[in-house]
Structures are given as C-alpha cells and as structure tokens.
Amino acid sequence: MVVVDAEERILFQRRRDSGYWEFPARAAEPDSGFRGTAVRELQEESGLLVREDDLAAFASLSDPDVHVITYPNGDRMHCFALCFEARTWTGSLAPNSDEVLEAAFFTMTSPPEPLQPQTRAVLDLYIAYRGTGVFQTR
C-alpha cells in the first residue's frame, strides 16, 4: 500500500529479514480480500489504521519478471497484487519490530535504497498513475 502524508511523501519500511525497503504489504490470509488484507497489514506493520473505504486502487502487478518470489524454504510463488493508495489514517507510526527495522516517509523522487524489486515496480506504477490518473497494470 502506498501511504501518502500531507506533504506528498510516501511511507516506506525496511524489512528486518533482508534490509530492503518496501511498502507495507503481505499476502492475504484465507478469509481476507484485497482491501481487508491491506488494512490489516498496514496496522500490523506500521501501527496506522486506515478504513477500507479510504483506499483507492491505482494499479495491479503480476509481471513474472518482478513478482515471482522465492521463500527461505525454497517455495516459489507467482504473486498478484492489487495496489492501493491511502491518504487518510489514524494512529501513530509505530513499526512492528518483529518484521520492520525502521519506517519513514520519503519523497517519490528520492526513495530510500535499496528498494525491493517489487517495490520499485509499484513505485513506478504509482508515479505513472499520479501523472495520468489512469489505473496502471504490469
């Protein structure tokens, strides 16, 4: 999820397991859809609470060149993501220390490095969406 603050900066978090920066996101659990998953994961990872109705879908990502993931146990998954923008939330930024080393807002043009490859793809989709207002796919 792309969380945008009042200064048009975007929330990034640095993963504990890899050290890469990413957007708050994870896989859906069996009883949850895209919006519910986005809301739950944002709260679990950052402490911020957003309402499902405040999410705006801006892109989908399914490109196997960037969205096939190999897990530590060797399982490979081709992932499909629906990407949301959130501009309204409650709560204070409090990263989940089990998963996140740090979290902060950065400008779109100066994101933290290194970015996870999927995050770079979603950031590019978001920049294109902001420039055109058209839902993006990759």
Side-chain angles (χ1 to χ4, degrees), residues 108-125:
M108 283 187 289
T109 56
S110 296
E113 295 289 344
L115 280 182
Q116 188 164 297
Q118 298 85 2
T119 300
R120 171 69 63 196
V122 172
L123 180 59
D124 290 345
L125 291 166

Side-chain angles (χ1 to χ4, degrees), residues 34-102:
F34 285 117
R35 288 180 184 276
T37 297
V39 167
R40 184 186 68 250
E41 292 301 327
L42 180 65
Q43 185 174 24
E44 286 178 7
E45 295 176 9
S46 72
L48 303 178
L49 180 60
V50 64
R51 296 176 335 142
E52 287 187 26
D53 291 343
D54 291 332
L55 298 177
F58 68 86
S60 65
L61 176 63
S62 62
D63 183 345
D65 289 339
V66 295
H67 221 198
V68 172
I69 296 172
T70 302
Y71 288 96
N73 67 1
D75 288 349
R76 288 178 45 88
M77 302 290 174
H78 181 177
C79 301
F80 297 82
L82 182 59
C83 307
F84 294 103
E85 174 191 61
R87 290 180 166 271
T88 304
W89 66 85
T90 58
S92 298
L93 188 57
N96 176 336
S97 61
D98 291 340
E99 298 178 18
V100 179
L101 288 172
E102 59 185 310

